[in-house]
Amino acid sequence: MYYMSYASEIGACSFVNKNVPPYTKVAGCPARIISTNIGENMKDINPLMRGGGV
């Protein structure tokens, strides 16, 4: 069993065969990391996921 962490994004029709770290975008067959949203890139994440308002 593989786990998708908090705020990870999985592309459509992706085959996930490893655990997905938090704040990571993966896609493909097999799924590969496309980007991470950690540190300065946190502003790219939907504010509602971070607990902020609209």
Side-chain angles (χ1 to χ4, degrees), residues 33-52:
I33 295 176
I34 295 174
S35 67
T36 57
N37 292 322
I38 298 175
E40 290 295 320
N41 294 331
M42 285 293 289
K43 60 187 172 196
D44 296 338
I45 297 175
N46 185 342
L48 296 177
M49 294 187 82
R50 290 185 290 151

Side-chain angles (χ1 to χ4, degrees), residues 1-13:
M1 176 179 280
Y2 300 106
Y3 296 96
M4 295 176 287
S5 299
Y6 179 77
S8 60
E9 297 179 20
I10 311 299
C13 300

